[in-house]
Amino acid sequence: MTDTVTDPATPALELSRVVKSFGAVVALRSGSLRLDKGSIHALIGENGAGKSTLVKIVAGLYRRDAGEFRLDGEPVDFHSTAQSKAAGIAVIYQEPTLFPDLSVTENIFMGRQPVGTLGRIDRKAMRDEATQIFERLGVRIDPERLTEGLSIADQQIIEIAKAISLDARVLIMDEPTAALSGVEVERLFAVARSLRDEGRALVFISHRFDEVFELCDTVTVMRDGSYIDTMPIADTSVDELVHLMVGRDVTEMFPKLPADIGEDVLVVDGLTQKGVFHDISFTVRSGEIVGLAGLVGAGRSEVVRAIYGVDPYQSGSVTVSGKALPKGNPKAAMARGIALVPEDRRKQGQVLEQTVSRNLTLAIRHRLAKMGLIWGGVENESAKVWASRLEVKTSALDAETGTLSGGNQQKVVLAKWLATNPRVLIVDEPTRGIDVGTKAEVHRLISQLAQEGLAILTISSELPEVLGMADRVLVMRAGRLTGEFDRSEATPEAVMFAATAEEVA
Amino acid sequence: MTTTTAAAPRRSALGVAGGVLKARETGIVIALVAVVIAATAVNPTFIFSGDGFRDLLLTPSLLMVVALGQAVVIITRNVDLSVGSVVGLTAYMTGRLFIDVPGIHPALVFLAGIALGALLGLINGALVAFAKVPALVITLGTMYIYRGINVAWTGSDRINASDMPASFRGLGTQDVLGIPLLTLLAVIVLVFTAWYLRNLRSGRELYAIGSDPDAAHLYGLRVTRRVLAAFIVCGALAGLAGVLFAARYGTVSSNAGYGWELQAIGAAVIGGVAMSGGVGTVWGAAFGAYLLLTINRALPIIGIQDFWQRAVVGILIIGAIILDRVLALRQHRRLVAAREEVK
Amino acid sequence: MSTATALTEKPTRDYKAYQHPLWRRLLINREAAIIGLLILVVIVAMLTVPNFDSPLTMTFLIREIAPILLIALPMTLIIITEEIDLSVASILGLSSVVTGLGVQAGWSLPVAGLVAILVGVIAGVINGSLITFVGLPSLAVTIGTLALFRGIAVGLLGTTAISEFPEYWTDLARANIPGTPVPLIIVPFIVLAIVFAVLLHFTPFGRSLYTIGLNKEVAAFSGIDVRMTKFWLFVMSGTVSGFAGVYFTLLYNNARGDNAIGMELLIIASVLLGGVSIFGGRGALHGVIAGVFLIGTMSSALRLAGVTSDIINVITGTVLILSVVSASFLAWIRTNRIAAIGRKKGQAGSTGAPA
């Protein structure tokens, strides 16, 4: 359904001052985007800048609260994903959404299969078209196999095949390269360029600047839920984009306090989880902040999950203050002084339907019990102490944490773990999706904790954050440690190289 | 990279996956044949007598019709516990229609039974789809409501064979080419349902919804409408089974179809329809129904009292879900190993 | 250790513990609504149903609902963790048959009863193992064991019934607390109810149940052993069902394979009516107890008023559906209201923000 009649100068898609909020949380303050036909448009911004919300509004998954949305100059308002699909918009999400129990072909055509007499699905036509699309994309995937067990890269190819079969005029890719290897990225880019040359409009969301500069024609920057600027890619530079994205000086964000670095506290040796990460060895000392850098999908979160015991591992060992830690046992890890502030605060860190008080005391529930019983106000007393230490803003201790802002939710999760009084603090993406002010507070807190003698391991996808805070930076790529840098040697270039460079076989 | 190198072994992986699916139906058929042979070896009249062969084909066909509908609902990741009560209610209504409307054409009675079943299914579906309450709870409730209405309506009354015209009763006794008419009817329904699930868009969407409801929502599929339709189909088939029940047995009391929900779920699960949705075929459910009831008939012959029938149902259900789990785990391990090799 | 010093430099803020005053927290909730409804039903029944106010009514009511009351205790914990046990009535039936067979074989009643309870424990272990160690969904497993345990019970006794039990024990099962119309069975129930209430509401274990029910991943990250917790819940459920089976047998002086068939519905309906969410993570034991009494009182009053048991079943089913649908409906209203507040805030924020 490519529209050939309309003026090519009319933007394929135009959003202006779009607003969206969830409960009390405003996810998008003022989102704007102008997309030309036959071009690839980069949409960049830090996590929580509102990119995904914007995409979901275009996809018809969310409805905007306010603002304008035009497609080919015509105002539109999607109530469902079916409507946006019918209008020629295809979205490829970070995590592909396929039906694992159905074949590749069925996944591509679900809901709009070619039909013959009696509405019977024409399986041969469907398979032929799938084969044709895969040939055009230059990939070999058996169209008859089940999608269960396909690699993320292949799943994304299926999503793209879906978009092509739809004849989508707008194709949005939300961090499609996050989990891909170099060759897979090249293949994807070749496909993207050929789609652009056919006159389609593409949106490419990525955190990798090299890719943005290689592939895209135009770039739009977002920050804190708002539109910041749009410019041709040829007229800008990485430095300028970073400045626009962050909107502040790096040093002011990361107050690094001097700390005495002591003996080894956490020692990880040869940790391996088959198919996920291999032979990971490192140490973290008391008073030290170690940053674990790498691209999304490099296996960083998986490593810390295995250390803490929520995931299993096949070989290797974890030692805390000289004593070996049993594997697969978070309770033992907690007892030995490890705390893990998980990556996804909404799904792993806290129960959104429970009160601030319950969440703050969940990890120390055994400690609060007297003779095995939790009586009266012990939870509220403890919660009061920790809420005030981290300055959590809440109407009352029995408010559900789901009603708090993202930054305050993150403080609840941090406080929940600090309450366990840990020796080793592992924080996975501690500032993802929270506002600038709270971010600075979290950085200051982590720095202070190191000064107090905690051993801290921090994972962050924001390079400036890692470089600003860490005494030492470890880099992972494709499940392996590929670099270790002291604070003085850790330049953005060196770390990015270790995180992205292809191995020379 | 992975795509190009792994294309060749994937063909075989598909073969294995497809094989496992087919193996389920084949496996059930083999088990069925084995049971029949074992029972016949002990007592040849199990099959080599006019009644033996007829019973073998006839007895499970009613349950099969109910199991088909149950399979359709389970494929969408739901469950319908009320089917037994729907069978009872429509069976009684069938008899009442013949008594209260003298000279009514049997075709009208069939339509009425199917319509009542569909209506009861619609109530289930509407509560599940719109109120977003788990099907288990809703249909547990309607199971008791429908049965209660049935008992209140029937009282101590019962329908007797003499209440129904011979032409209708004949459905339960007539043969075509040595095959009972009821069985033929059930098989026609089976073939049609299987064709629908395999060849129509809406049929495939039922699988998609059961496989991943969130993805179905993202795809823009009309999830609410499809789930509603699945419950209506399930109710309509149970209604049809109720009419057939009256034709087959002649007598209908207030406990007709009692406990059938468990047998229907059992048949579907044994036949490879996963409770987690998106997997299985109505063929499997149909064979499951035959296996279940044939084992029940074979038990007394091989010297086990038929009181143990229900325990056999339980063992088969549990065995089937454990088998599914083991196969899934094994496949998962193989895929991890395959990915490891690529690295 | 040392974190406190870094953090306490900040002035300690005071937080309100509760958003709403005490009376509102106590009176405006699901449990209070059910208790209120129960009181209302009792008053109406007293005034309108002849003989409802006789002491005998209370005796029979409590005797009859005692198995439901007992099994509802562990069932509450199971549903709060977002699982379900459909096999409880079958375990009760199996336990009843084992008690009967034991007595028939010449064992003394305490021995037969203990063996029957042990059978309940084993049934719970089977459920728990399949759910936690094999990793199967509890709905599928307990539908299977619903058929299996009932099947064994029916298989062991066939269509016969055993009704020769030592009079001392059957009398005890029917005895009242001296001087009152309250059956003695209320004593073990109260003891168990206190144990379960303390376990659910005042222990770290109880806290972990709610967390598991709401979010299993958060539970795992918080050091909760989700698998073992679930395992023990199903063992508890089997054990209590086993005990209820012995009581049931003695009360009716009857061991049959189909004893208490279908009782799982009444138990689950009472638990859900009592304010436990079928989606897990919400509910309290006093609400559940009120729920059991509500259903019991309603059917007892209706029966006295001459309503037949099938109509009572229709009413029970309707009450079950209404209780879950109303919970969904209230939740829907609530999210809509919060979203509306959010929208207002969002629009107010956007007007001032530069584009």
Side-chain angles (χ1 to χ4, degrees):
Chain A
M1 281 153 272
T2 349
D3 213 325
T4 46
V5 196
T6 54
D7 181 7
T10 315
L13 181 147
E14 197 175 8
L15 291 166
S16 71
R17 300 185 177 211
V18 172
V19 180
K20 177 73 196 175
S21 48
F22 301 97
V25 182
V26 183
L28 199 59
R29 275 170 217 291
S30 171
S32 299
L33 183 67
R34 188 194 146 102
L35 206 55
D36 292 321
K37 288 165 191 153
S39 83
I40 304 179
H41 196 115
L43 181 59
I44 63 171
E46 292 186 297
N47 287 310
K51 298 168 302 199
S52 291
T53 310
L54 193 75
V55 167
K56 284 176 178 163
I57 287 171
V58 174
L61 207 58
Y62 298 157
R63 283 189 72 189
R64 61 187 193 278
D65 299 333
E68 278 178 58
F69 180 5
R70 288 169 190 279
L71 203 61
D72 252 333
E74 296 296 315
V76 286
D77 184 16
F78 297 137
H79 293 69
S80 74
T81 52
Q83 286 180 339
S84 93
K85 219 188 252 188
I89 295 172
V91 181
I92 297 167
Y93 298 96
Q94 268 167 37
E95 284 164 24
T97 44
L98 300 172
F99 304 110
D101 303 309
L102 301 182
S103 75
V104 167
T105 307
E106 287 211 272
N107 266 285
I108 296 175
F109 294 98
M110 181 54 68
R112 42 188 189 83
Q113 298 95 331
V115 290
T117 47
L118 292 172
R120 184 173 197 260
I121 295 171
D122 188 342
R123 285 177 183 266
K124 190 175 173 308
M126 198 161 84
R127 194 171 50 239
D128 289 349
E129 198 181 334
T131 314
Q132 238 175 34
I133 294 171
F134 285 137
E135 266 169 27
R136 189 166 138 207
L137 294 176
V139 295
R140 288 175 59 198
I141 298 177
D142 180 355
E144 291 291 289
R145 67 158 287 165
L146 299 183
T147 48
E148 181 167 18
L150 279 176
S151 69
I152 299 276
D154 286 351
Q155 291 184 37
Q156 267 161 353
I157 292 295
I158 294 172
E159 292 278 8
I160 292 174
K162 218 155 75 182
I164 292 175
S165 82
L166 254 172
D167 203 13
R169 47 186 174 175
V170 175
L171 179 64
I172 302 173
M173 297 188 282
D174 192 352
E175 290 199 59
T177 59
L180 304 196
S181 70
V183 178
E184 290 164 341
V185 169
E186 280 310 313
R187 186 180 72 181
L188 181 70
F189 282 9
V191 169
R193 288 191 188 102
S194 78
L195 294 175
R196 172 187 62 190
D197 296 343
E198 289 170 11
R200 300 173 210 262
L202 284 83
V203 176
F204 180 72
I205 299 177
S206 177
H207 283 113
R208 301 184 186 177
F209 288 115
D210 53 337
E211 291 176 0
V212 168
F213 279 88
E214 185 191 334
L215 182 69
C216 302
D217 306 306
T218 324
V219 57
T220 290
V221 183
M222 291 183 71
R223 184 175 71 223
D224 297 332
S226 298
Y227 169 86
I228 301 297
D229 203 358
T230 296
M231 63 205 95
I233 205 86
D235 299 351
T236 184
S237 65
V238 174
D239 287 342
E240 188 186 357
L241 291 183
V242 170
H243 186 79
L244 288 173
M245 273 169 64
V246 179
R248 60 202 170 257
D249 270 339
V250 168
T251 43
E252 144 200 354
M253 277 298 292
F254 307 106
K256 179 84 181 105
L257 302 171
D260 293 329
I261 294 180
E263 79 285 7
D264 290 353
V265 181
L266 177 69
V267 179
V268 177
D269 188 32
L271 215 59
T272 298
Q273 191 188 113
K274 279 183 188 161
V276 182
F277 54 80
H278 302 267
D279 196 23
I280 305 291
S281 305
F282 63 87
T283 60
V284 184
R285 292 169 287 182
S286 73
E288 184 181 39
I289 301 177
V290 173
L292 188 51
L295 302 175
V296 173
R300 297 166 304 167
S301 295
E302 288 79 358
V303 168
V304 296
R305 288 168 62 114
I307 291 173
Y308 180 66
V310 284
D311 283 353
Y313 54 89
Q314 275 84 41
S315 56
S317 67
V318 179
T319 316
V320 182
S321 303
K323 275 200 260 173
L325 195 69
K327 62 170 120 176
N329 189 343
K331 207 171 171 179
M334 283 167 67
R336 301 290 288 284
I338 299 188
L340 170 60
V341 178
E343 183 183 9
D344 188 334
R345 66 170 166 269
R346 301 175 69 89
K347 288 190 188 139
Q348 302 165 333
Q350 70 199 314
V351 184
L352 297 175
E353 298 89 345
Q354 270 183 348
T355 64
V356 171
S357 170
R358 285 284 171 94
N359 272 297
L360 280 174
T361 54
L362 183 61
I364 53 168
R365 63 193 185 284
H366 287 289
R367 226 172 283 175
L368 289 181
K370 289 182 191 112
M371 307 198 354
L373 300 181
I374 299 177
W375 268 116
V378 286
E379 283 170 316
N380 281 343
E381 274 164 38
S382 166
K384 206 172 277 184
V385 171
W386 284 101
S388 71
R389 283 188 191 165
L390 272 84
E391 295 178 337
V392 176
K393 289 187 192 76
T394 174
S395 59
L397 293 174
D398 72 342
E400 291 176 7
T401 57
T403 63
L404 304 186
S405 72
N408 278 300
Q409 286 180 1
Q410 187 65 18
K411 284 181 178 178
V412 168
V413 179
L414 274 166
K416 167 184 164 182
W417 289 107
L418 290 178
T420 66
N421 210 352
R423 264 184 281 207
V424 181
L425 179 67
I426 306 175
V427 283
D428 194 351
E429 302 285 2
T431 61
R432 174 179 286 179
I434 62 181
D435 62 280
V436 182
T438 316
K439 253 181 189 179
E441 275 182 70
V442 169
H443 293 147
R444 199 177 311 119
L445 175 68
I446 289 175
S447 209
Q448 278 175 350
L449 291 169
Q451 203 175 29
E452 295 294 331
L454 263 75
I456 295 173
L457 178 64
T458 165
I459 296 178
S460 174
S461 291
E462 290 174 37
L463 203 49
E465 183 169 291
V466 176
L467 299 182
M469 287 175 58
D471 295 301
R472 201 150 48 91
V473 179
L474 305 169
V475 188
M476 276 186 76
R477 182 183 70 237
R480 291 178 191 279
L481 272 182
T482 51
E484 178 169 353
F485 305 93
D486 260 346
R487 185 174 176 81
S488 53
E489 329 164 323
T491 62
E493 292 75 20
V495 173
M496 276 316 276
F497 184 77
T500 57
E502 278 299 301
E503 276 169 278
V504 186
Chain B
M1 190 162 81
T2 47
T3 19
T4 43
T5 50
R10 267 182 196 167
R11 195 40 107 170
S12 66
L14 161 77
V16 174
V20 169
L21 284 180
K22 280 186 203 101
R24 188 53 173 270
E25 281 84 11
T26 324
I28 298 292
V29 172
I30 292 172
L32 183 59
V33 171
V35 170
V36 171
I37 290 175
T40 310
V42 177
N43 183 350
T45 61
F46 187 74
I47 181 161
F48 295 114
S49 69
D51 280 351
F53 184 67
R54 252 185 75 81
D55 276 355
L56 182 69
L57 290 179
L58 190 55
T59 310
S61 36
L62 298 185
L63 176 63
M64 185 178 111
V65 173
V66 180
L68 296 180
Q70 188 67 257
V72 171
V73 167
I74 296 179
I75 282 170
T76 64
R77 205 182 270 191
N78 282 294
V79 70
D80 187 348
L81 294 177
S82 73
V83 286
S85 305
V86 174
V87 169
L89 204 49
T90 49
Y92 184 72
M93 184 187 73
T94 302
R96 281 257 58 105
L97 279 177
F98 282 117
I99 295 170
D100 298 342
V101 190
I104 188 171
H105 194 279
L108 276 181
V109 176
F110 266 87
L111 283 181
I114 294 172
L116 176 63
L119 175 71
L120 299 175
L122 173 72
I123 295 171
N124 287 334
L127 286 167
V128 171
F130 293 115
K132 308 254 183 286
V133 176
L136 171 78
V137 182
I138 292 297
T139 58
L140 196 62
T142 55
M143 168 172 108
Y144 275 75
I145 295 174
Y146 298 166
R147 178 67 65 191
I149 293 172
N150 186 3
V151 176
W153 189 15
T154 318
S156 54
D157 184 29
R158 62 150 62 182
I159 305 289
N160 292 308
S162 56
D163 296 330
M164 290 179 278
S167 63
F168 178 72
R169 290 276 294 122
L171 285 171
T173 50
Q174 277 164 10
D175 289 357
V176 177
L177 301 172
I179 297 180
L181 193 60
L182 278 188
T183 307
L184 274 181
L185 238 159
V187 170
I188 291 169
V189 175
L190 164 66
V191 170
F192 181 78
T193 316
W195 187 87
Y196 163 78
L197 282 178
R198 183 172 160 75
N199 288 315
L200 291 192
R201 281 182 180 175
S202 49
R204 300 314 298 169
E205 286 176 15
L206 296 180
Y207 279 91
I209 290 163
S211 184
D212 189 338
D214 296 336
H217 182 63
L218 277 182
Y219 264 69
L221 303 186
R222 285 171 292 195
V223 179
T224 308
R225 182 184 296 195
R226 295 280 174 258
V227 170
L228 197 61
F231 274 98
I232 293 174
V233 167
C234 181
L237 288 178
L240 173 64
V243 179
L244 297 180
F245 185 100
R248 159 97 168 95
Y249 294 105
T251 47
V252 182
S253 66
S254 65
N255 68 350
Y258 191 83
W260 279 34
E261 60 283 338
L262 207 57
Q263 297 209 348
I265 294 169
V269 170
I270 292 162
V273 180
M275 297 284 289
S276 51
V279 180
T281 65
V282 284
W283 289 101
F287 294 143
Y290 268 86
L291 179 64
L292 205 65
L293 292 190
T294 306
I295 288 181
N296 280 356
R297 278 188 59 233
L299 283 181
I301 290 175
I302 55 174
I304 299 171
Q305 279 182 306
D306 53 4
F307 306 131
W308 289 96
Q309 286 172 353
R310 215 184 318 217
V312 172
V313 178
I315 287 177
L316 286 177
I317 294 176
I318 292 168
I321 55 177
I322 292 177
L323 179 70
D324 286 340
R325 174 79 181 156
V326 169
L327 289 178
L329 278 180
R330 206 193 278 171
Q331 191 184 355
H332 177 76
R333 228 172 283 148
R334 208 176 36 231
L335 288 168
V336 168
R339 242 182 288 161
E340 192 77 339
E341 267 170 44
V342 175
K343 285 204 172 164
Chain C
M1 209 168 68
S2 45
T3 55
T5 47
L7 294 160
T8 42
E9 288 164 14
K10 290 164 191 163
T12 308
R13 255 179 80 174
D14 200 28
Y15 284 88
K16 261 199 303 181
Y18 303 101
Q19 288 167 296
H20 303 299
L22 182 69
W23 66 268
R24 206 175 143 180
R25 278 181 286 127
L26 286 182
L27 293 181
I28 311 239
N29 60 44
R30 176 80 183 222
E31 285 75 23
I34 292 300
I35 294 171
L37 200 58
L38 173 63
I39 293 170
L40 191 72
V41 166
V42 170
I43 292 173
V44 171
M46 289 273 196
L47 293 178
T48 60
V49 180
N51 291 329
F52 186 82
D53 51 0
S54 108
L56 220 53
T57 306
M58 187 190 207
T59 310
F60 278 104
L61 171 65
I62 292 179
R63 271 189 202 169
E64 199 178 320
I65 64 171
I68 300 175
L69 277 172
L70 288 167
I71 301 175
L73 300 173
M75 185 68 85
T76 301
L77 273 56
I78 286 178
I79 297 182
I80 282 176
T81 51
E82 213 193 353
E83 303 289 333
I84 194 133
D85 187 350
L86 295 174
S87 71
V88 283
S90 297
I91 297 176
L92 192 160
L94 182 56
S95 154
S96 169
V97 167
V98 170
T99 312
L101 287 174
V103 169
Q104 203 176 41
W107 299 349
S108 75
L109 194 107
V111 174
L114 279 178
V115 171
I117 293 173
L118 187 67
V119 167
V121 175
I122 293 168
V125 168
I126 292 173
N127 280 336
S129 306
L130 288 170
I131 290 158
T132 58
F133 303 121
V134 188
L136 300 168
S138 57
L139 171 64
V141 167
T142 57
I143 279 185
T145 53
L146 161 74
L148 178 63
F149 298 147
R150 180 65 70 186
I152 296 174
V154 174
L156 284 173
L157 263 189
T159 50
T160 57
I162 296 168
S163 43
E164 299 285 314
F165 292 95
E167 222 167 273
Y168 170 78
W169 290 99
T170 52
D171 285 349
L172 187 68
R174 269 174 245 159
N176 287 346
I177 296 174
T180 69
V182 180
L184 211 50
I185 185 69
I186 205 77
V187 175
F189 166 70
I190 287 174
V191 171
L192 271 180
I194 290 172
V195 169
F196 274 95
V198 167
L199 193 62
L200 180 62
H201 297 296
F202 298 105
T203 65
F205 180 81
R207 294 289 188 271
S208 67
L209 298 184
Y210 287 95
T211 307
I212 292 173
L214 289 168
N215 190 326
K216 291 186 178 48
E217 223 177 331
V218 172
F221 273 99
S222 305
I224 295 166
D225 192 336
V226 178
R227 293 200 322 169
M228 284 319 287
T229 306
K230 279 200 253 170
F231 177 79
W232 286 117
L233 290 183
F234 280 91
V235 175
M236 281 180 210
S237 164
T239 312
V240 175
S241 303
F243 173 72
V246 179
Y247 167 74
F248 193 99
T249 312
L250 295 174
L251 178 66
Y252 297 106
N253 191 21
N254 191 338
R256 283 173 55 95
D258 58 0
N259 268 351
I261 199 159
M263 191 188 271
E264 66 276 354
L265 165 85
L266 280 177
I267 296 165
I268 292 170
S270 313
V271 171
L272 297 181
L273 183 64
V276 176
S277 164
I278 186 71
F279 300 104
R282 207 217 158 282
L285 224 42
H286 60 285
V288 170
I289 294 169
V292 180
F293 272 99
L294 181 58
I295 286 187
T297 311
M298 252 175 16
S299 32
S300 160
L302 288 170
R303 216 172 318 142
L304 280 172
V307 178
T308 51
S309 67
D310 34 276
I311 297 299
I312 295 172
N313 276 349
V314 173
I315 293 171
T316 310
T318 311
V319 164
L320 167 66
I321 290 176
L322 284 181
S323 72
V324 282
V325 171
S326 68
S328 286
F329 183 66
L330 289 176
W332 178 75
I333 288 180
R334 195 162 166 259
T335 39
N336 272 16
R337 223 183 48 211
I338 291 179
I341 295 168
R343 257 197 303 280
K344 245 184 251 160
K345 272 195 196 174
Q347 272 157 356
S350 73
T351 44

